[in-house]
Amino acid sequence: MANVPQHILMIAFDFPPRGGSGVERTLKFARFLSSFGWKPVVLTVNESTHGDFVDHSNQLENDIIVERTFCLDASRHLAFRGRHFEFSKKPDRYWGWAFTAVPKAMSLIKQYDIKCLWSTYPVMTSHIIGYVLNKLTKLPWIADYRDPLQCYYDELVYNNSKAARFFDKLVVENTTKLVFVTNNALSLYANIYGARVLEKSTVIENGFDSKNLGALSRTLENDKFVLFHGGSLYETGRQPQVLFDALKLLKVKLGKDFDKVKLNLLGAHNQQFNKVRAEQLEISQAVEFKSQQPYQQCLQAMLNADVLVVIQGQVFDNQIPGKIYEYLNTDLPIVVVTPNNSATDVLVKEFPGVLSSEDPTEIAVFLVRAFTEKIRYVRDTEKLERRERTQELAQLLDSCV
């Protein structure tokens, strides 16, 4: 590690005040890197880019240098009477950001004597900016994949992702290092691109920052048994069918006590389709749908629950939702609805108090026990701390310069 701190340029679309948990990976890397000999300079978009999806609860440290530039959003700035052409969003709707980001980045590289570039997906434009800067400056470039390219695991979008696949190939061929968040995602890319991926790749998982919960205290709802799921649900991949079936069985097992059960589904895109299903199963009185909320409010809702729930269907086998690390930082029972041997399943099975299953009966039995016994669990999660993950990144940076 260098004695004099060196500067890294971090190119990230998802960064505060953008809402959602997607900002946490870059934010925590930026927050802790200075402890390991690297000073972050973050290049991101103007706050106006995020529209109503803004959350000011994440406070930035004073020593994090943040530069913001205008980002053209094709779905807004290229729309006519509220409509736009689909091709204008290739490879993503934010491709116009590159035209302001690259000149600003070149200025920052000179101003701060940047030693390494880092960009993060799932906004492909971030990697495009990293690619251009790498070609212009010859600086080492680390491409971070919070998720694999969607078309590689979701065949429904494959035919519409030709542009994204073109740029993804450029990233794999030209980046100095590739970083993935799961071994499954690394294997997926190795199967697609071959041995060259293995030669330049490493895995740095997500994690949690214990300070996020430090200022919060648990507040229980009177006489309620609360199940909490944070995050969007979809009609494929993340849909609550199994969980709803388990609640139907739980209703039979608890009888009148089922009136105490409340499933809190917090997040975007959770509404109409799932409401109909809950009504069909006659459990709608126990299911509460809430829209997306600021990050700290989500953490508070998580902490107030009796059981935490993750839904990660087969289409997402290669990924681990970031919220599972926050869940593991609590002492609460956790239900993970995911296939056997998925990346999420492999992670959670080493911790006590976690049921990983797609069997409604098994889940119902677990919930009955949680309802009656109120067991709390001690989990050894030190290795999941964001600070530990950042040290892994710092060691990778050291190897690049």
Side-chain angles (χ1 to χ4, degrees):
M1 185 182 301
N3 294 325
V4 178
Q6 301 184 92
H7 285 89
I8 174 177
L9 181 65
M10 307 187 77
I11 305 155
F13 179 89
D14 292 320
F15 198 76
R18 180 170 173 80
S21 59
V23 307
E24 285 293 297
R25 184 172 176 87
T26 304
L27 174 62
K28 300 307 180 182
F29 280 156
R31 181 166 290 171
F32 292 120
L33 269 173
S34 58
S35 300
F36 303 104
W38 285 89
K39 297 289 289 184
V41 178
V42 180
L43 178 61
T44 188
V45 297
N46 286 340
E47 179 177 331
S48 60
T49 306
H50 306 308
D52 296 331
F53 195 45
V54 171
D55 177 4
H56 289 284
S57 63
N58 259 324
Q59 297 299 315
L60 299 180
E61 304 292 334
N62 292 332
D63 62 344
I64 299 178
I65 302 166
V66 182
E67 296 286 344
R68 306 179 188 275
T69 66
F70 171 76
C71 175
L72 184 148
D73 179 348
S75 65
R76 285 193 293 158
H77 299 117
L78 300 183
F80 178 70
R81 294 181 179 178
R83 305 183 69 179
H84 59 273
F85 291 105
E86 190 65 26
F87 70 80
S88 70
K89 298 195 301 182
K90 308 297 184 183
D92 58 59
R93 59 193 274 195
Y94 304 111
W95 53 264
W97 180 33
F99 293 100
T100 61
V102 169
K104 171 58 73 172
M106 292 298 291
S107 174
L108 294 173
I109 289 169
K110 182 177 180 180
Q111 179 180 354
Y112 293 102
D113 190 23
I114 298 294
K115 299 299 184 185
C116 192
L117 308 170
W118 182 89
S119 60
T120 184
Y121 179 84
V123 174
M124 180 57 72
T125 299
S126 298
H127 281 342
I128 294 173
I129 295 166
Y131 168 79
V132 173
L133 294 175
N134 169 259
K135 292 301 180 185
L136 291 174
T137 66
K138 308 304 180 184
L139 287 170
W141 166 38
I142 297 174
D144 179 72
Y145 282 84
R146 281 171 30 214
D147 290 316
L149 205 64
Q150 184 179 354
C151 62
Y152 293 153
Y153 60 86
D154 185 355
E155 61 183 18
L156 296 178
V157 302
Y158 187 85
N159 291 333
N160 293 324
S161 302
K162 186 176 295 185
R165 285 184 277 122
F166 170 80
F167 285 110
D168 196 57
K169 185 177 180 181
L170 287 181
V171 175
V172 172
E173 291 179 344
N174 291 276
T175 188
T176 310
K177 296 288 184 181
L178 288 161
V179 175
F180 299 95
V181 298
T182 69
N183 288 309
N184 290 38
L186 170 54
S187 296
L188 176 67
Y189 265 65
N191 288 336
I192 295 169
Y193 290 108
R196 56 186 166 172
V197 168
L198 296 175
E199 294 168 357
K200 61 169 64 177
S201 294
T202 189
V203 173
I204 302 178
E205 291 187 30
N206 280 314
F208 65 85
D209 183 358
S210 54
K211 291 183 180 179
N212 286 348
L213 295 181
L216 304 177
S217 58
R218 183 173 166 82
T219 303
L220 298 178
E221 294 191 39
N222 292 332
D223 201 34
K224 283 292 183 181
F225 177 70
V226 179
L227 287 69
F228 172 81
H229 179 279
S232 295
L233 299 172
Y234 315 121
E235 293 191 30
T236 58
R238 283 195 191 122
Q239 53 91 12
Q241 171 90 33
V242 171
L243 184 61
F244 282 4
D245 289 343
L247 285 183
K248 178 71 172 179
L249 295 173
L250 184 65
K251 182 177 182 180
V252 174
K253 292 176 180 294
L254 294 183
K256 292 182 179 180
D257 280 342
F258 187 72
D259 291 339
K260 300 177 182 179
V261 175
K262 183 175 81 170
L263 171 60
N264 181 2
L265 295 175
L266 189 156
H269 315 301
N270 291 352
Q271 308 297 328
Q272 194 57 46
F273 175 81
N274 295 314
K275 283 183 177 179
V276 172
R277 182 59 181 160
E279 290 169 358
Q280 290 173 341
L281 291 172
E282 300 180 338
I283 59 168
S284 58
Q285 75 274 20
V287 183
E288 184 173 0
F289 296 89
K290 293 184 178 180
S291 60
Q292 191 164 4
Q293 296 181 6
Y295 182 64
Q296 288 297 318
Q297 292 184 31
C298 293
L299 289 181
Q300 185 65 66
M302 176 191 78
L303 201 60
N304 293 347
D306 296 284
V307 176
L308 304 175
V309 181
V310 172
I311 299 174
Q312 190 80 342
Q314 185 174 1
V315 71
F316 300 112
D317 272 3
N318 299 305
Q319 295 142 270
I320 299 174
K323 59 180 169 281
I324 193 66
Y325 296 94
E326 302 282 7
Y327 285 10
L328 291 170
N329 190 32
T330 72
D331 60 358
L332 298 171
I334 301 171
V335 172
V336 181
V337 183
T338 192
N340 189 44
N341 290 325
S342 70
T344 303
D345 177 68
V346 172
L347 169 68
V348 301
K349 277 186 173 177
E350 64 177 285
F351 295 98
V354 183
L355 172 67
S356 179
S357 175
E358 290 188 300
D359 182 351
T361 301
E362 193 173 10
I363 294 171
V365 170
F366 183 87
L367 292 176
V368 168
R369 185 182 180 200
F371 180 88
T372 57
E373 299 183 17
K374 308 254 188 301
I375 301 174
R376 296 294 178 258
Y377 301 90
V378 177
R379 302 185 180 105
D380 181 8
T381 56
E382 183 177 354
K383 65 182 180 180
L384 304 182
E385 284 271 6
R386 289 281 189 184
R387 195 178 191 282
E388 299 297 315
R389 304 304 198 206
T390 306
Q391 185 174 19
E392 296 175 30
L393 175 59
Q395 291 168 348
L396 183 63
L397 292 171
D398 292 340
S399 72
C400 290
V401 298

